[in-house]
Short mmCIF file of all heavy atoms in Angstrom, two decimals:
data_model
loop_
_atom_site.label_atom_id
_atom_site.label_comp_id
_atom_site.label_asym_id
_atom_site.label_seq_id
_atom_site.Cartn_x
_atom_site.Cartn_y
_atom_site.Cartn_z
N LYS A 1420 188.68 212.16 24.59
CA LYS A 1420 189.33 213.41 24.21
C LYS A 1420 190.67 213.55 24.95
O LYS A 1420 191.68 214.07 24.36
CB LYS A 1420 188.34 214.49 24.48
CG LYS A 1420 188.69 215.91 23.81
CD LYS A 1420 188.32 215.78 22.34
CE LYS A 1420 188.85 217.02 21.61
NZ LYS A 1420 188.67 216.91 20.18
N ALA A 1421 190.62 213.24 26.24
CA ALA A 1421 191.89 213.32 26.98
C ALA A 1421 192.97 212.52 26.37
O ALA A 1421 194.08 212.87 26.31
CB ALA A 1421 191.58 212.95 28.47
N MET A 1422 192.62 211.26 25.95
CA MET A 1422 193.60 210.36 25.39
C MET A 1422 194.08 210.95 24.05
O MET A 1422 195.27 210.87 23.69
CB MET A 1422 192.98 208.99 25.12
CG MET A 1422 192.80 208.20 26.45
SD MET A 1422 192.40 206.51 26.10
CE MET A 1422 190.72 206.64 25.60
N ASP A 1423 193.17 211.47 23.20
CA ASP A 1423 193.54 212.06 21.89
C ASP A 1423 194.58 213.28 22.13
O ASP A 1423 195.50 213.40 21.32
CB ASP A 1423 192.37 212.58 21.13
CG ASP A 1423 191.42 211.44 20.75
OD1 ASP A 1423 191.82 210.24 20.97
OD2 ASP A 1423 190.33 211.63 20.18
N TYR A 1424 194.30 214.05 23.13
CA TYR A 1424 195.19 215.26 23.40
C TYR A 1424 196.51 214.86 23.95
O TYR A 1424 197.42 215.61 23.78
CB TYR A 1424 194.48 216.20 24.34
CG TYR A 1424 193.45 217.13 23.87
CD1 TYR A 1424 192.42 217.63 24.61
CD2 TYR A 1424 193.53 217.56 22.46
CE1 TYR A 1424 191.47 218.51 24.12
CE2 TYR A 1424 192.57 218.37 21.97
CZ TYR A 1424 191.52 218.86 22.79
OH TYR A 1424 190.61 219.74 22.26
N PHE A 1425 196.63 213.68 24.52
CA PHE A 1425 197.85 213.27 25.24
C PHE A 1425 199.07 213.25 24.22
O PHE A 1425 198.98 212.57 23.28
CB PHE A 1425 197.66 211.95 25.96
CG PHE A 1425 198.89 211.57 26.77
CD1 PHE A 1425 199.37 212.29 27.78
CD2 PHE A 1425 199.55 210.40 26.41
CE1 PHE A 1425 200.45 211.90 28.53
CE2 PHE A 1425 200.73 210.01 27.14
CZ PHE A 1425 201.12 210.76 28.17
N ASP A 1426 200.02 214.06 24.61
CA ASP A 1426 201.29 214.00 23.89
C ASP A 1426 202.42 214.27 24.83
O ASP A 1426 202.76 215.52 25.17
CB ASP A 1426 201.26 215.00 22.72
CG ASP A 1426 202.47 214.90 21.83
OD1 ASP A 1426 203.53 214.31 22.23
OD2 ASP A 1426 202.44 215.47 20.70
N LEU A 1427 202.95 213.31 25.44
CA LEU A 1427 203.87 213.46 26.56
C LEU A 1427 205.01 214.40 26.29
O LEU A 1427 205.39 215.22 27.19
CB LEU A 1427 204.45 212.08 26.99
CG LEU A 1427 205.30 212.01 28.26
CD1 LEU A 1427 204.49 212.30 29.47
CD2 LEU A 1427 206.09 210.67 28.34
N GLY A 1428 205.57 214.35 25.04
CA GLY A 1428 206.80 215.21 24.84
C GLY A 1428 206.44 216.65 24.46
O GLY A 1428 207.30 217.47 24.67
N GLU A 1429 205.32 216.86 24.00
CA GLU A 1429 204.87 218.18 23.40
C GLU A 1429 205.24 219.34 24.31
O GLU A 1429 205.86 220.31 23.86
CB GLU A 1429 203.45 218.11 22.88
CG GLU A 1429 203.08 219.21 21.95
CD GLU A 1429 202.53 220.46 22.73
OE1 GLU A 1429 202.05 220.30 23.88
OE2 GLU A 1429 202.63 221.52 22.19
N PRO A 1430 204.90 219.35 25.60
CA PRO A 1430 205.09 220.53 26.40
C PRO A 1430 206.56 220.76 26.65
O PRO A 1430 206.93 221.84 27.11
CB PRO A 1430 204.35 220.13 27.82
CG PRO A 1430 203.49 219.01 27.50
CD PRO A 1430 204.06 218.24 26.30
N TYR A 1431 207.39 219.75 26.41
CA TYR A 1431 208.85 219.88 26.74
C TYR A 1431 209.70 220.00 25.51
O TYR A 1431 210.93 219.95 25.57
CB TYR A 1431 209.26 218.66 27.64
CG TYR A 1431 208.46 218.47 28.83
CD1 TYR A 1431 207.46 217.45 28.81
CD2 TYR A 1431 208.57 219.24 29.98
CE1 TYR A 1431 206.57 217.36 29.92
CE2 TYR A 1431 207.72 219.11 31.01
CZ TYR A 1431 206.76 218.11 31.04
OH TYR A 1431 205.96 217.92 32.08
N GLY A 1432 209.11 220.09 24.36
CA GLY A 1432 209.81 220.21 23.11
C GLY A 1432 210.09 218.89 22.42
O GLY A 1432 210.06 218.81 21.22
N SER A 1433 210.30 217.89 23.19
CA SER A 1433 210.53 216.52 22.60
C SER A 1433 210.30 215.50 23.69
O SER A 1433 210.42 215.82 24.89
CB SER A 1433 211.92 216.40 22.03
OG SER A 1433 212.78 216.32 23.06
N LEU A 1434 210.15 214.27 23.22
CA LEU A 1434 209.94 213.12 24.14
C LEU A 1434 211.22 212.98 24.95
O LEU A 1434 211.24 212.73 26.16
CB LEU A 1434 209.63 211.89 23.37
CG LEU A 1434 208.85 210.83 24.09
CD1 LEU A 1434 207.67 211.28 24.80
CD2 LEU A 1434 208.49 209.70 23.09
N ALA A 1435 212.35 213.12 24.24
CA ALA A 1435 213.68 212.99 24.97
C ALA A 1435 213.78 213.98 26.09
O ALA A 1435 214.28 213.74 27.17
CB ALA A 1435 214.77 213.08 24.01
N ASN A 1436 213.36 215.23 25.81
CA ASN A 1436 213.35 216.29 26.80
C ASN A 1436 212.49 215.92 28.06
O ASN A 1436 212.87 216.17 29.20
CB ASN A 1436 212.89 217.65 26.29
CG ASN A 1436 213.98 218.34 25.40
OD1 ASN A 1436 215.08 217.78 25.36
ND2 ASN A 1436 213.61 219.36 24.73
N ALA A 1437 211.35 215.36 27.70
CA ALA A 1437 210.39 214.97 28.75
C ALA A 1437 211.04 213.90 29.69
O ALA A 1437 211.07 214.06 30.84
CB ALA A 1437 209.09 214.45 28.14
N PHE A 1438 211.65 212.91 29.05
CA PHE A 1438 212.26 211.85 29.82
C PHE A 1438 213.50 212.28 30.55
O PHE A 1438 213.94 211.74 31.55
CB PHE A 1438 212.53 210.60 28.95
CG PHE A 1438 211.32 209.90 28.55
CD1 PHE A 1438 211.01 209.52 27.24
CD2 PHE A 1438 210.38 209.43 29.50
CE1 PHE A 1438 209.87 208.91 26.89
CE2 PHE A 1438 209.23 208.80 29.22
CZ PHE A 1438 209.02 208.53 27.89
N ALA A 1439 214.13 213.39 30.04
CA ALA A 1439 215.30 213.90 30.70
C ALA A 1439 214.93 214.48 32.11
O ALA A 1439 215.79 214.50 32.97
CB ALA A 1439 215.97 214.99 29.83
N ARG A 1440 213.69 214.84 32.27
CA ARG A 1440 213.23 215.39 33.61
C ARG A 1440 212.99 214.21 34.55
O ARG A 1440 213.15 214.37 35.75
CB ARG A 1440 211.89 216.04 33.39
CG ARG A 1440 211.84 217.30 32.64
CD ARG A 1440 210.38 217.69 32.34
NE ARG A 1440 209.52 217.61 33.48
CZ ARG A 1440 209.30 218.63 34.36
NH1 ARG A 1440 209.91 219.77 34.18
NH2 ARG A 1440 208.50 218.45 35.43
N ALA A 1441 212.65 213.06 33.99
CA ALA A 1441 212.17 211.96 34.85
C ALA A 1441 213.38 211.39 35.65
O ALA A 1441 214.52 211.57 35.27
CB ALA A 1441 211.57 210.88 34.07
N ARG A 1442 213.08 210.75 36.76
CA ARG A 1442 214.05 210.05 37.59
C ARG A 1442 213.75 208.56 37.69
O ARG A 1442 214.48 207.81 38.30
CB ARG A 1442 214.11 210.65 39.02
CG ARG A 1442 214.60 212.13 39.01
CD ARG A 1442 216.14 212.13 38.74
NE ARG A 1442 216.61 213.41 38.40
CZ ARG A 1442 216.67 213.88 37.16
NH1 ARG A 1442 216.26 213.18 36.16
NH2 ARG A 1442 217.08 215.08 36.85
N ALA A 1443 212.56 208.19 37.27
CA ALA A 1443 212.09 206.83 37.42
C ALA A 1443 212.88 205.78 36.61
O ALA A 1443 213.45 206.05 35.58
CB ALA A 1443 210.62 206.76 37.07
N LYS A 1444 212.89 204.59 37.13
CA LYS A 1444 213.32 203.42 36.33
C LYS A 1444 212.06 202.88 35.67
O LYS A 1444 211.03 202.74 36.34
CB LYS A 1444 213.94 202.42 37.28
CG LYS A 1444 214.45 201.17 36.60
CD LYS A 1444 215.26 200.25 37.56
CE LYS A 1444 215.58 198.95 36.85
NZ LYS A 1444 216.45 198.06 37.73
N TYR A 1445 212.18 202.58 34.37
CA TYR A 1445 210.98 202.19 33.64
C TYR A 1445 210.93 200.67 33.26
O TYR A 1445 212.05 200.11 32.98
CB TYR A 1445 210.93 202.99 32.36
CG TYR A 1445 210.56 204.42 32.48
CD1 TYR A 1445 211.57 205.45 32.52
CD2 TYR A 1445 209.24 204.88 32.53
CE1 TYR A 1445 211.23 206.78 32.65
CE2 TYR A 1445 208.91 206.24 32.67
CZ TYR A 1445 209.94 207.18 32.75
OH TYR A 1445 209.67 208.52 32.84
N LEU A 1446 209.79 200.15 33.25
CA LEU A 1446 209.51 198.90 32.56
C LEU A 1446 208.46 199.09 31.50
O LEU A 1446 207.38 199.60 31.81
CB LEU A 1446 209.03 197.83 33.58
CG LEU A 1446 208.56 196.53 32.99
CD1 LEU A 1446 209.68 195.79 32.33
CD2 LEU A 1446 207.92 195.64 34.15
N VAL A 1447 208.77 198.86 30.29
CA VAL A 1447 207.82 199.00 29.19
C VAL A 1447 207.53 197.67 28.58
O VAL A 1447 208.37 196.89 28.25
CB VAL A 1447 208.35 199.95 28.12
CG1 VAL A 1447 207.40 200.12 26.94
CG2 VAL A 1447 208.70 201.31 28.71
N VAL A 1448 206.23 197.33 28.50
CA VAL A 1448 205.76 196.10 27.92
C VAL A 1448 204.79 196.30 26.80
O VAL A 1448 203.89 197.05 26.92
CB VAL A 1448 205.07 195.16 28.99
CG1 VAL A 1448 204.62 193.81 28.38
CG2 VAL A 1448 205.98 194.94 30.23
N SER A 1449 205.05 195.71 25.66
CA SER A 1449 204.07 195.77 24.55
C SER A 1449 203.65 194.31 24.17
O SER A 1449 204.25 193.36 24.60
CB SER A 1449 204.74 196.47 23.32
OG SER A 1449 205.70 195.60 22.70
N PHE A 1450 202.61 194.23 23.35
CA PHE A 1450 202.09 192.95 22.96
C PHE A 1450 202.06 192.76 21.47
O PHE A 1450 201.61 193.68 20.75
CB PHE A 1450 200.71 192.79 23.62
CG PHE A 1450 200.79 192.82 25.14
CD1 PHE A 1450 200.65 193.97 25.84
CD2 PHE A 1450 201.08 191.62 25.87
CE1 PHE A 1450 200.80 194.04 27.17
CE2 PHE A 1450 201.17 191.67 27.23
CZ PHE A 1450 200.94 192.88 27.92
N SER A 1451 202.46 191.61 21.02
CA SER A 1451 202.68 191.37 19.59
C SER A 1451 201.45 191.70 18.72
O SER A 1451 201.58 192.17 17.59
CB SER A 1451 203.16 189.96 19.33
OG SER A 1451 202.29 189.04 19.91
N THR A 1452 200.25 191.37 19.25
CA THR A 1452 199.07 191.54 18.29
C THR A 1452 198.32 192.85 18.66
O THR A 1452 197.17 193.05 18.19
CB THR A 1452 198.09 190.33 18.45
OG1 THR A 1452 197.90 190.17 19.90
CG2 THR A 1452 198.72 189.10 17.86
N ASP A 1453 198.90 193.77 19.46
CA ASP A 1453 198.24 195.01 19.77
C ASP A 1453 198.38 195.99 18.70
O ASP A 1453 199.44 196.61 18.51
CB ASP A 1453 198.80 195.54 21.14
CG ASP A 1453 198.13 196.80 21.60
OD1 ASP A 1453 197.23 197.35 20.87
OD2 ASP A 1453 198.41 197.20 22.74
N TRP A 1454 197.33 196.20 17.90
CA TRP A 1454 197.45 197.15 16.72
C TRP A 1454 196.95 198.50 17.12
O TRP A 1454 197.09 199.47 16.29
CB TRP A 1454 196.75 196.62 15.52
CG TRP A 1454 195.37 196.13 15.78
CD1 TRP A 1454 194.90 194.97 16.30
CD2 TRP A 1454 194.16 196.88 15.45
NE1 TRP A 1454 193.55 194.93 16.34
CE2 TRP A 1454 193.04 196.10 15.81
CE3 TRP A 1454 193.88 198.17 14.87
CZ2 TRP A 1454 191.71 196.58 15.69
CZ3 TRP A 1454 192.56 198.58 14.75
CH2 TRP A 1454 191.49 197.79 15.12
#
Side-chain angles (χ1 to χ4, degrees):
Chain A
K1420 196 74 188 172
M1422 287 191 286
D1423 293 356
Y1424 279 153
F1425 182 63
D1426 185 346
L1427 185 68
E1429 196 270 335
Y1431 307 100
S1433 73
L1434 203 50
N1436 285 352
F1438 288 128
R1440 294 167 47 89
R1442 293 288 164 270
K1444 182 173 174 177
Y1445 290 95
L1446 171 65
V1447 178
V1448 182
S1449 70
F1450 297 90
S1451 55
T1452 52
D1453 183 352
W1454 53 279

